[in-house]
Amino acid sequence: MSLLEVKNLNVFYGGIQALRDVSLHVEKGEIVSIIGANGAGKSTFMRSVAGDQKYSGEIIYDGVQLPKESYKVVKAGISLVPEGRRIFPGLTVRENLMVGAYTRNDKKQIQEDMEEIFQLFPRLGERINQLGGSMSGGEQQMLAVGRALISNPRVLMLDEPSLGLAPIIVDELFDKILEINKKKDMTILLVEQNANLAMDVADRVYVLKTGSIVMEGTGVEMQNNEAVIESFLGQKKD
């Protein structure tokens, strides 16, 4: 049984269908990437799983129907790092992290988890009392990931984590994502505009096109797929 299974997901914005019968599965401990052009429906999919978007269809998590309310999704063990980070600029690093822990009551464990986040992202520990809005884009993205982690998820969802970041910061961030996956055995569902990066870190990849899944395979298979190379990497396979 898959840890997360999506069956025939459909989303409409008025008369426009944004997602059409999307089905996919995510196994425990996997990194699964979803790639596609702008407007393909990637963020809509992530918001649907996170409980921020109305949908029809089934989302099964750990064998049961996932709630459709966002706070219940977090409590169940799925946390989303949204596109654009969406930290609270007027709150400090500590306060932003505590917002992420709002479904928890175990204060001692929360503090231990916060220290673990500071080990993962030392700059957050150094800036614990700094306002989120005064931090660099890379630091804000680290804070957004930390805020999701402190909810103690089993599935971490990342929506366009590299957006607007310098390449050296992107490399550092993805090293941390791989570390989270390996050290914590955390399942990761990733939406990423940088298709090469998304395929490079993924166990499996789905291609979303105009609201439908049109292709799937392992990260290696997709990196060697001529159609994927031409569509997303801007080059033809020799």
Side-chain angles (χ1 to χ4, degrees):
M1 182 179 63
S2 301
L3 181 58
L4 182 67
E5 187 170 5
V6 179
K7 300 178 180 179
N8 302 316
L9 193 71
N10 289 278
V11 173
F12 288 86
Y13 294 128
I16 299 171
Q17 188 164 6
L19 293 178
R20 188 183 304 274
D21 292 325
V22 171
S23 296
L24 59 79
H25 64 95
V26 182
E27 304 301 319
K28 183 180 183 300
E30 275 192 316
I31 298 179
V32 172
S33 292
I34 301 173
I35 62 175
N38 284 332
K42 303 186 300 297
S43 290
T44 296
F45 174 83
M46 298 291 263
R47 289 197 303 270
S48 299
V49 177
D52 292 332
Q53 174 65 55
K54 291 183 178 179
Y55 63 85
S56 64
E58 289 185 281
I59 302 178
I60 308 298
Y61 171 65
D62 207 14
V64 298
Q65 178 72 44
L66 188 69
K68 292 191 175 183
E69 298 89 352
S70 57
Y71 75 96
K72 290 183 180 178
V73 172
V74 173
K75 203 160 187 176
I78 299 177
S79 286
L80 171 66
V81 180
E83 181 182 1
R85 302 180 276 276
R86 297 186 194 171
I87 63 153
F88 296 95
L91 299 183
T92 65
V93 166
R94 179 186 287 279
E95 289 166 341
N96 267 278
L97 290 173
M98 290 307 297
V99 169
Y102 74 100
T103 61
R104 300 176 59 181
N105 297 313
D106 49 340
K107 291 183 179 180
K108 183 180 178 183
Q109 189 60 50
I110 289 171
Q111 186 58 43
E112 289 179 9
D113 289 348
M114 189 176 293
E115 292 302 325
E116 191 173 315
I117 288 166
F118 293 155
Q119 289 176 19
L120 185 68
F121 299 117
R123 273 174 283 181
L124 296 184
E126 294 164 5
R127 293 158 172 74
I128 189 167
N129 295 314
Q130 187 171 330
L131 294 181
S134 67
M135 301 170 75
S136 70
E139 290 165 348
Q140 289 184 12
Q141 187 62 279
M142 292 172 192
L143 179 55
V145 173
R147 183 181 60 187
L149 287 175
I150 206 166
S151 69
N152 198 26
R154 294 178 65 196
V155 178
L156 179 66
M157 300 199 302
L158 298 147
D159 191 357
E160 302 284 11
S162 76
L163 192 67
L165 301 182
I168 190 170
I169 302 299
V170 172
D171 289 344
E172 181 183 350
L173 179 64
F174 271 77
D175 284 345
K176 296 297 186 182
I177 290 169
L178 286 169
E179 184 179 338
I180 292 164
N181 171 249
K182 301 303 180 192
K183 286 190 175 180
K184 297 177 73 69
D185 193 29
M186 187 170 294
T187 306
I188 292 176
L189 183 57
L190 170 70
V191 158
E192 177 54 59
Q193 190 68 31
N194 184 331
N196 203 26
L197 191 59
M199 292 186 287
D200 197 42
V201 301
D203 296 298
R204 291 187 302 109
V205 178
Y206 290 92
V207 178
L208 193 62
K209 184 177 181 181
T210 57
S212 298
I213 298 289
V214 296
M215 205 179 303
E216 66 174 285
T218 68
V220 174
E221 287 170 349
M222 298 303 249
Q223 284 180 311
N224 290 293
N225 184 294
E226 189 171 348
V228 172
I229 290 170
E230 290 188 21
S231 296
F232 297 106
L233 305 182
Q235 60 193 60
K236 290 190 176 183
K237 189 176 179 183
D238 293 332

